[in-house]
Amino acid sequence: MDRIRVVEGDITRQTVDAIVNAANAALKAGGGVDGAIHRAAGPDLQRELDGIGGCPTGDCRLSRGYNLPAPHIIHCVGPVWHGGGSDEERLLESCYRSALALARRHGIRTLAFPAISTGIYGFPKQRAAEIAVAVVRDELAIDDAIEEVRFVVFDAETAGIYRALV
Ligand code: AR6
């Protein structure tokens, strides 16, 4: 069975155990997919995140999903692209790895990732997709608790990039 899927659509509509957010280090509602998730989840989400306080780049934090179909949200803080010489690739890889590790610890078996860092944070889309797919393949090979990882992409260009890799 194929445990990795590519879906073109809105991540806030996905019925999975957890959706992943492309958040910022302050865990304050922003734009892009983060803004869409906050609007769909409702104001209780920000209250929970304020209690957590923040999250370092390359790491993630778990919250409830509130009004979303998904019961959990994993908030990953991706790197801002500064040209590639500031550890951006390792930090992006770390986002995917830490999200899967967090999922495993909390019994989350199905999850949906957006293309972290490739919008407002400016990470090149092709390289980001290569990192995302390689890390997820690697982790699933050593872990059969996670049943499905869905890459939910918002535009046809990104969908094409992922479909060529999965
Ligand atoms: N569903 C799936 N993907 C989406 C959706 C959606 N509803 N909306 C946008 N995308 P971005 P970043 C795609 O900018 O680059 C925020 O202000 C989008 O097309 O959301 O990690 C945060 O608070 C792109 O491919 O995240 C941070 O400050 C991808 O999601 C900062 O932006 C990621 O784009 C994070 O920037």
Side-chain angles (χ1 to χ4, degrees), residues 36-51:
I37 288 172
H38 274 269
R39 282 192 297 279
D44 287 341
L45 172 58
Q46 188 61 63
R47 278 191 274 278
E48 183 178 352
L49 294 177
D50 287 345

Side-chain angles (χ1 to χ4, degrees), residues 10 47 61 64 68 88 103 129 157:
D10 181 352
R47 278 191 274 278
R61 296 290 181 267
R64 292 175 54 195
L68 294 174
E88 294 96 327
E157 184 202 347

Side-chain angles (χ1 to χ4, degrees), residues 9-165:
D10 181 352
I11 203 165
T12 66
R13 307 309 314 149
Q14 304 298 310
T15 304
V16 284
D17 294 338
I19 65 168
V20 176
N21 185 16
N24 54 65
L27 298 180
K28 294 289 183 197
V33 69
D34 186 28
I37 288 172
H38 274 269
R39 282 192 297 279
D44 287 341
L45 172 58
Q46 188 61 63
R47 278 191 274 278
E48 183 178 352
L49 294 177
D50 287 345
I52 296 171
C55 175
T57 303
D59 207 346
C60 62
R61 296 290 181 267
L62 185 68
S63 80
R64 292 175 54 195
Y66 298 97
N67 298 331
L68 294 174
H72 303 286
I73 307 168
I74 296 173
H75 303 265
C76 281
V77 182
V80 177
W81 182 257
H82 291 294
S86 305
D87 229 12
E88 294 96 327
E89 295 200 347
R90 188 191 61 79
L91 289 165
L92 187 64
E93 183 180 323
S94 169
C95 280
Y96 286 92
R97 255 189 231 291
S98 60
L100 290 165
L102 187 67
R104 207 176 288 133
R105 287 201 299 278
H106 290 272
I108 289 164
R109 300 170 75 88
T110 56
L111 65 169
F113 280 101
I116 299 169
S117 282
T118 66
I120 293 163
Y121 281 180
F123 202 113
K125 289 177 193 292
Q126 174 72 36
R127 188 66 196 118
E130 287 166 6
I131 290 168
V133 171
V135 173
V136 168
R137 276 220 176 97
D138 201 37
E139 293 283 324
L140 292 192
I142 54 158
D143 176 5
D144 50 18
I146 292 177
E147 291 166 5
E148 185 189 322
V149 171
R150 213 176 275 181
F151 290 111
V152 181
V153 294
F154 215 39
D155 61 279
E157 184 202 347
T158 311
I161 292 172
Y162 273 86
R163 288 202 173 102
L165 294 168

